[in-house]
Amino acid sequence: MPAPERIPPRGVTAADPGAADLLARGELTVRGRIRDASNAALFCTVAYDGREASCVYKPVAGERPLWDFPDGTLAAREVAAYEVSEATGWGLVPPTVLREGPYGEGMCQLWIDVHAEAELLALVEAEEPEPGWKAIGFAEVGEGRTALLVHADDERLRRLAVLDAVINNADRKGGHLLPTADGRLYGIDHGVTFNVEDKLRTLLWGWAGEPLTADATEVLKRLRDALDGDLGERLTPLITAAELDATRARVAALLTSGVHPEPGGEWPAIPWPPV
């Protein structure tokens, strides 16, 4: 199948309250395959009641088994991540639903057009980051040379780091960060999340050990309550009971510690490749 033609959403944005309904109810038409995805990912359009948008459809049938994520599906975990994001009020994950498509049940997520000029990551030849940047670690850049990998000291990224800690994201790469022209930031590819074991693997370690913001603390308190209420009910069909309990425990641990988590040492802290 040819590479997908990039068709921007037509009249529908991630902030549109009707976006999820369009994804769930619209007619899904496959336009191409996203070739750099590790599992089957199809670029589609979805149309309903005179509205149309671009989206990504990842059928469960195209998922490769993962030994350390034996339960559930990648698609369901992607939807669970969206539900948690919505419960925070931060809107960090594009509208995502679980639905039937041309190749069976799968995840359907609104396509996000990236603002290419937004700089969130960089390699610098320095020992310490400049103001406005946070250090991730040193990386080999060839010929025995190393450079400092940094990410922006950006409140949007900081919120995403909190979300990742809650959902236990095992694969937060640079390519999963989507800044948009209107100043928003979205994170995608949440198939390896919600494990009961600590698997947090991310590029967003710049705030490790630092106190959580007052905003993050209030959000975590709301999540704590929501996980025992409506949010917990929405997550129940998507992840296992043990994974839901582990999510509650992670929220409680963050509130108790009051700081951003630090690398645990039992799991690679940074995904590979990082971008």
Side-chain angles (χ1 to χ4, degrees), residues 62-146:
E63 296 180 3
R64 295 187 298 180
L66 297 173
W67 67 268
D68 53 342
F69 285 83
D71 301 313
T73 65
L74 304 182
R77 285 190 286 271
E78 294 239 35
V79 178
Y82 167 69
E83 292 289 354
V84 174
S85 169
E86 287 299 283
T88 66
W90 287 335
L92 296 169
V93 178
T96 312
V97 302
L98 200 63
R99 59 161 292 169
E100 287 293 321
Y103 300 103
E105 184 180 63
M107 179 278 282
C108 187
Q109 185 175 81
L110 192 71
W111 181 268
I112 300 297
D113 283 324
V114 177
H115 182 47
E117 295 182 3
E119 190 174 17
L120 299 174
L121 299 167
L123 277 169
V124 296
E125 305 233 354
E127 295 294 318
E128 298 289 338
E130 295 183 358
W133 294 89
K134 289 284 190 177
I136 302 168
F138 288 94
E140 293 185 9
V141 292
E143 300 180 355
R145 295 170 50 244
T146 61

Side-chain angles (χ1 to χ4, degrees), residues 29-61:
T29 302
V30 176
R31 302 295 184 183
R33 182 174 181 179
I34 301 173
R35 296 187 180 276
D36 57 356
S38 55
N39 293 276
L42 304 173
F43 181 75
C44 304
T45 53
V46 60
Y48 178 74
D49 196 24
R51 307 187 81 194
E52 183 175 280
S54 302
C55 60
V56 177
Y57 162 55
K58 298 181 181 179
V60 172

Side-chain angles (χ1 to χ4, degrees), residues 34 36-39 41 58 78 91-94 109-110 112 114 120-121 156-157 160-161 163-164 167 169-180 184-193 201-204 270-275:
I34 301 173
D36 57 356
S38 55
N39 293 276
K58 298 181 181 179
E78 294 239 35
L92 296 169
V93 178
Q109 185 175 81
L110 192 71
I112 300 297
V114 177
L120 299 174
L121 299 167
R156 300 169 302 170
L157 288 180
L160 195 57
L163 176 66
D164 284 343
I167 66 177
N169 192 351
D171 194 32
R172 175 60 73 204
K173 297 176 180 176
H176 300 166
L177 305 172
L178 307 184
T180 62
R184 298 180 68 94
L185 176 72
Y186 297 97
I188 61 168
D189 284 351
H190 298 107
V192 285
T193 48
R201 187 167 60 169
T202 176
L203 285 177
L204 305 180
I270 296 176
W272 187 262
V275 178

